[in-house]
Amino acid sequence: MAVEQLRNGVNRLGRIASQKAKKKYGASKLGAKGKPAPVPAKKAAPKASSRWYQTEDAPKPLTVRKKNPSCAKLRSNITPGTVLILLAGRFRGKRVVFLKQLDSGLLLISGPFKINGVNVRRVNQAYVISTSTKVDVSKVDVSKVTDATFARVAKPAAEKGEDFFKAPKKATETSAERKALQKSVDTALLAAVKKVPELSAYLNAKFTLTKNDQPHLMKF
């Protein structure tokens, strides 16, 4: 189709008008095989933002990238009976005996309680130092100890009003089951500790560092 020109280089029709005359985009309205193309659905209008906003952030669950998060791999230098040094928590610096790894990946340890006051509890292996000292814990039965053993009991709702300040604080009491577990574990563990000379004093001594100590050169 020839383009009409008023003079050399000046078209009679503009760019849009000339495209309509050529029907350049007429076929774009038809779908496959000449059928009308489907009309796209109208998008819903965005919700108007409220004038007010929450003063506190709403809690959101953390996303886990792994579909099936597996248990943490146990370090090769930590085996049942290995004496560990705690690096964090209320018992940091204490030496404890490793018993087994739980399904959650945490380590089950004990002081024993009668030697250094560390009860049967769970710790993360990232916060312990493994030593070369070992104890025979083959006779210590912890097969029934799981992560559910350490589940916390839900506390009753706190009282409101003046009675809240008048009510005395209730001290947390250890359940009879936990006391029985501690006693059975300590009985077998103490018998194994007494077989090794000076091990009781070693477990009772707290790990400390002085000014001139170099931890990276130490052999535990």
Side-chain angles (χ1 to χ4, degrees):
M1 180 177 179
V3 180
E4 297 184 22
Q5 295 184 349
L6 300 177
R7 54 177 299 180
N8 292 339
V10 181
N11 298 338
R12 188 176 68 83
L13 299 177
R15 181 166 58 87
I16 297 176
S18 62
Q19 289 176 355
K20 287 184 178 180
K22 295 178 183 179
K23 298 181 180 181
K24 186 174 182 181
Y25 299 103
S28 63
K29 296 181 180 180
L30 299 178
K33 298 182 180 180
K35 296 181 180 180
V39 180
K42 294 183 179 180
K43 296 183 179 180
K47 295 181 180 180
S49 59
S50 175
R51 291 179 59 189
W52 313 105
Y53 58 90
Q54 296 181 355
T55 56
E56 297 180 358
D57 296 333
K60 295 182 180 179
L62 297 176
T63 56
V64 181
R65 293 184 179 181
K66 294 183 178 180
K67 293 183 179 179
N68 297 320
S70 58
C71 175
K73 185 179 179 181
L74 187 64
R75 279 156 41 188
S76 59
N77 56 356
I78 299 178
T79 57
T82 302
V83 176
L84 307 175
I85 300 174
L86 301 181
L87 301 177
R90 57 181 292 200
F91 296 114
R92 59 182 176 274
K94 294 280 189 177
R95 293 180 171 91
V96 295
V97 180
F98 168 65
L99 301 176
K100 73 170 185 177
Q101 185 182 28
L102 300 173
D103 294 337
S104 61
L106 300 177
L107 309 183
L108 181 67
I109 62 168
S110 181
F113 182 77
K114 288 187 177 181
I115 293 179
N116 53 24
V118 182
N119 57 343
V120 177
R121 60 196 299 114
R122 300 176 297 174
V123 295
N124 194 320
Q125 62 177 331
Y127 301 106
V128 300
I129 296 176
S130 62
T131 65
S132 58
T133 308
K134 295 185 182 296
V135 184
D136 183 15
V137 293
S138 58
K139 295 183 179 180
V140 181
D141 185 17
V142 289
S143 58
K144 296 182 180 180
V145 182
T146 60
D147 291 303
T149 307
F150 302 93
R152 294 184 178 181
V153 181
K155 296 182 180 180
E159 298 178 359
K160 296 182 180 180
E162 297 179 357
D163 296 337
F164 173 77
F165 299 97
K166 295 180 181 179
K169 294 183 179 180
K170 296 181 180 179
T172 56
E173 296 182 357
T174 307
S175 62
E177 296 178 356
R178 290 291 294 273
K179 290 181 180 178
L181 173 63
Q182 185 70 53
K183 186 177 181 180
S184 63
V185 171
D186 277 5
T187 301
L189 190 56
L190 283 170
V193 171
K194 290 179 180 179
K195 294 179 181 179
V196 182
E198 299 182 0
L199 183 58
S200 297
Y202 175 72
L203 292 174
N204 192 24
K206 196 171 184 179
F207 174 77
T208 56
L209 291 174
T210 58
K211 183 178 180 180
N212 297 324
D213 289 337
Q214 298 177 344
H216 63 286
L217 298 178
M218 292 182 178
K219 293 184 179 179
F220 297 95

